[in-house]
Amino acid sequence: MVLLLGKSDLAYAIQQQLAQPCVIVGRPAYDFALKADCDRVIMDHNPTVVINTVAVNQNHDAWETLTTNFVSAVYLTLGFYNQMQQGHIINVSSTSTYWVSYPDIPTERLCYNLSKEALSQFGRHFNRKIVDSDRQVTVSTIELGSFPSRFNGHQGRMPIERAASVIVDCIKNPRTAVSLIE
């Protein structure tokens, strides 16, 4: 079973492209800014693939942005990794990791970019940690460029179907890191 975290447009686009059963979870049942809800989603599900599409954008304050986009993603990755003996965990990051700050960047945008940079760095470091593990669990980080969705007011150049297809391809052909800039 594939567990899609976040009721995002991307999660629904991924679900449409997968030929296997999927469950999509998110608000209001699970608020990923809350540790108790992260614990509950880990206890409630036993997936073979976890795809984390959860994110809040620069319209949220620094606490919610950093907690949701980074802290909960790391916590969920660790929780599912410890629960799984085999499978795949995919965290969706952003190509904003390539230009985290610039002169006069709005603080909210800086916090969003920083949260995604931290998530991508976590993926790199976690994969170094588990390289010799006996578990057959792949952990992937996929950095996507902007695609139209509710998240960004339907702005972006890359078709959402393209973004979803990269994630589906990563399930079929596991890699630890993928970046797609369009």
Side-chain angles (χ1 to χ4, degrees), residues 1-174:
M1 184 264 294
V2 175
L3 179 63
L4 290 149
L5 304 177
K7 293 182 176 179
S8 65
D9 290 342
L10 180 59
Y12 290 105
I14 294 165
Q15 182 183 40
Q16 288 178 351
Q17 292 187 22
L18 285 173
Q20 52 190 306
C22 298
V23 174
I24 298 175
V25 298
R27 290 181 181 163
Y30 300 101
D31 181 348
F32 295 105
L34 302 175
K35 182 178 185 255
D37 283 5
C38 291
D39 286 333
R40 201 163 41 84
V41 78
I42 293 165
M43 290 183 351
D44 290 351
H45 300 278
N46 190 24
T48 55
V49 177
V50 177
I51 303 170
N52 185 356
T53 72
V54 175
V56 295
N57 62 17
Q58 60 269 11
N59 295 327
H60 296 80
D61 67 21
W63 179 265
E64 186 173 7
T65 299
L66 295 168
T67 302
T68 302
N69 296 358
F70 176 63
V71 175
S72 73
V74 169
Y75 191 77
L76 288 161
T77 299
L78 296 172
F80 279 113
Y81 182 84
N82 289 332
Q83 176 179 301
M84 302 165 86
Q85 289 303 309
Q86 62 182 22
H88 197 163
I89 301 168
I90 299 173
N91 287 310
V92 177
S93 187
S94 169
T95 56
S96 67
T97 62
Y98 294 102
W99 50 89
V100 174
S101 66
Y102 46 84
D104 295 323
I105 185 173
T107 300
E108 297 81 8
R109 181 65 193 192
L110 174 65
C111 289
Y112 171 81
N113 293 354
L114 181 62
S115 71
K116 292 302 188 173
E117 179 188 40
L119 179 59
S120 292
Q121 287 295 334
F122 166 76
R124 288 178 190 95
H125 293 292
F126 190 72
N127 274 299
R128 288 182 195 138
K129 173 192 177 335
I130 64 172
V131 70
D132 293 326
S133 173
D134 291 337
R135 291 178 191 263
Q136 299 300 308
V137 180
T138 302
V139 177
S140 302
T141 304
I142 300 180
E143 298 171 338
L144 295 174
S146 184
F147 52 86
S149 69
R150 288 173 291 152
F151 181 81
N152 62 14
H154 300 282
Q155 305 290 316
R157 293 181 36 196
M158 180 183 353
I160 194 167
E161 297 79 13
R162 173 78 172 117
S165 71
V166 168
I167 294 166
V168 171
D169 182 66
C170 189
I171 295 169
K172 295 174 185 173
N173 304 294

